[in-house]
Amino acid sequence: MSTETITEEVASHLEAHPEIPGVILVSGKKIHSMIPRNKMFERLGHRYGVELFLRKPIIALQENLGTGAFWISSNTRINTATQIALGRRAENIYDPLIIEYDDGSFRQLDMHLLLMEQSLVMENMTNIISSMDRIEQSIKADIPLDTSLDMIVDSIKRTTPYHRAAILIKPSHRGKISSHHELLHDLHEPLNSHPLIKSIWDTGKHMHIEDTKLAPSWKGMEAIGKTNVWMGLPIASGGSLEGILSLSRTTNTPFSKNEIDMAKTFSDFLSIAINRTAENYDDDQFVNMIKRKFIY
């Protein structure tokens, strides 16, 4: 709302919308400040609060309260946003945050909701680390590869939802794998020579196609199956690449950065599981490296 809006109008708006944690004040097209709901009604409820401010522009109440504006980018990670918000002065810790989006728009975020999301993140992280531990133990226990693959793929499904998955293995390496898991497929021509696949071979880095219909480079990848969003992640053996984890979505929902990071983590576990019989392959060292990458 404008800094010139009458306080009574602002109060009526907040009373009609109890889900709104406060009001953002703008001067022209720029954010001027914000007033948390609780601080506004607390001040109006004090002696002479209504008489002093109710029929005046809201800027008068804002100046009396001395509130400011605290905003962060919509691209900020939840953990980082929580740490920044909790680093404010004690009297402002529970004030709402202003979230600024890439298109210049902005919204309020209740601190209570941010803390709830942070709690869910921590719970999910605990579950993910627990999954990593179970996968690690299954690999060390030398249980059937199919069982390890099921555990890893299930973890990927929960952290990076997809509609179709495949583990594409170079034919030269396929004979070394003692498994006929339904997700294991030979990477035959012409797919093996496709520029997208070759890019993964050459760089050792993942590829993410956010919209296959708009990407000229997708032509020739039809063997992957019908998909709108695709991601390919390398599966390594020592210093060489032996396969690719293929993840597809039939919806127009690109993989987020967090989802890509999680898929990378579990594709590393796929590398361990598939290549655990390779000579000089140090499982313990590689597992510890993966966990450090995930946690930090």
Side-chain angles (χ1 to χ4, degrees), residues 2 14 57 77 90 103-104 110 131 170 223 249 257:
S2 168
L14 290 178
R77 288 175 176 265
D103 62 1
D110 194 322
S131 294
K170 285 183 177 180
R249 282 177 174 169
K257 184 180 184 305

Side-chain angles (χ1 to χ4, degrees), residues 50-106:
V50 170
E51 292 83 351
L52 286 172
F53 302 110
L54 196 63
R55 291 177 177 80
K56 291 182 179 180
I58 189 66
I59 185 66
L61 179 58
Q62 182 273 325
E63 290 175 346
N64 180 267
L65 291 171
T67 57
F70 187 87
W71 63 82
I72 57 176
S73 167
S74 61
N75 299 315
T76 306
R77 288 175 176 265
I78 291 176
N79 288 341
T80 303
T82 304
Q83 292 174 7
I84 293 173
L86 292 177
R88 294 179 291 180
R89 296 173 60 179
E91 62 269 24
N92 298 326
I93 281 181
Y94 293 104
D95 289 355
L97 304 175
I98 298 175
I99 309 300
E100 185 174 16
Y101 292 85
D102 292 338
D103 62 1
S105 62
F106 44 85

